[in-house]
Amino acid sequence: MDGADADPVALARLLELAVAALHETRPEQLWSLAFTELLDALDADLAVRKAEEWSPGEGTVRLWTPEGPAHHLLGPEQLDVIRTGYPFVDHYAAGHPLEPLTARATAGAHAWRHAAPAGHLRDALGATDILGLPLPRPEKGAIHGCLLHRTGRRPFTPAHLAYARRAQPVIAAVEAHAAHLRAWRTTPGGPEAATVREERAAALGLTPREITVLALLAEARTATAIAQRLGISPRTVHRHLAHLYRKFGTRDRLATVLRARETGVL
């Protein structure tokens, strides 16, 4: 991937990731699927994910290597270095577009070689370059996303950036899908109630995507609002609604939500 265009094979796998994510009912597995693909396509050694806004000193940091989750690899001091989000947080907070960038391009080649934060990252992780993949968040001004590290090798290439730009909306959709599934599974009633909901949804043949549409429908959202929340078209939402009507034996949105509550799916 040394040219300016993303690898067509990697882009095809990105589509496969989107399809696999839409069929995954376990929200905790979605990020593992996403990072497995990102690490391979970007030839990276470490992926870093922070669910909360990037800020130093607090927040849960999750790590993945090509071999799988690696949350045990780093100590408190190394995690604090990662939590600063250097050099991306200051760049995006200044109002620059939320687009994928490399650390070298963001900080500048001289700062990346000589600045103290860059040195801390090299000492802690061996990072020779980092690719920042920001994700949009409902909270205005929140800096959110993930970081891909390369260690002991040449920098990320223009082709890697081209791939990251194509991957960005897919990863954002995976995140949104995971969040809605997690909310559906963690509504009142505890683990036993969540298990019952999953069993009843499975008995009706509901797909994970139909569940997320149904949950948003229960919030009295329009098809357009649901489409915006999930990053899909209103036409796709209407297709999911038609499937929900058929599976619940209903004809409109209100009846569908009521039936879903009667059956315990909601």
Side-chain angles (χ1 to χ4, degrees), residues 1-2 43 104 128-129 150-157 160:
M1 293 177 62
D2 288 325
D43 194 21
R104 291 169 181 266
T128 53
D129 202 5
R150 298 190 95 184
T151 61
R153 331 179 180 187
R154 57 195 175 83
F156 288 105
T157 68
H160 290 129

Side-chain angles (χ1 to χ4, degrees), residues 180 183 214-221 229 257 261:
H180 292 304
L214 178 62
L216 291 171
L217 193 67
E219 297 177 3
R221 296 179 183 272
R229 192 69 179 266
V257 171
R261 288 175 175 154

Side-chain angles (χ1 to χ4, degrees), residues 22-45:
L22 291 178
H23 288 84
E24 177 57 64
T25 59
R26 300 162 296 174
E28 64 275 8
Q29 294 299 315
L30 287 167
W31 274 106
S32 290
L33 285 172
F35 275 128
T36 296
E37 183 56 38
L38 288 175
L39 285 164
D40 183 62
L42 295 170
D43 194 21
D45 303 297

Side-chain angles (χ1 to χ4, degrees), residues 70 80 83 85 88 102 113 121-122 139 151 155 161 193 197 202 211 214 219 248 254 260:
D80 278 343
R83 287 190 183 103
F88 303 101
T102 66
R113 285 195 302 269
L121 285 167
R122 281 191 293 274
E139 304 89 345
T151 61
L161 277 170
R197 280 193 294 276
I211 290 169
L214 178 62
E219 297 177 3
F248 280 104
L254 177 60

Side-chain angles (χ1 to χ4, degrees), residues 182-251:
R182 192 177 298 110
W184 175 70
R185 292 180 66 181
T186 56
T187 48
E192 292 184 2
T195 299
V196 170
R197 280 193 294 276
E198 292 172 30
E199 290 175 348
R200 293 180 178 176
L204 287 166
L206 300 184
T207 67
R209 185 51 117 190
E210 288 166 357
I211 290 169
T212 59
V213 170
L214 178 62
L216 291 171
L217 193 67
E219 297 177 3
R221 296 179 183 272
T222 65
T224 299
I226 293 172
Q228 291 173 343
R229 192 69 179 266
L230 297 179
I232 58 179
S233 70
R235 181 177 180 180
T236 300
V237 172
H238 284 295
R239 186 167 67 247
H240 289 309
L241 290 176
H243 294 164
L244 288 168
Y245 296 164
R246 175 175 56 80
K247 292 177 181 181
F248 280 104
T250 54
R251 294 184 178 181

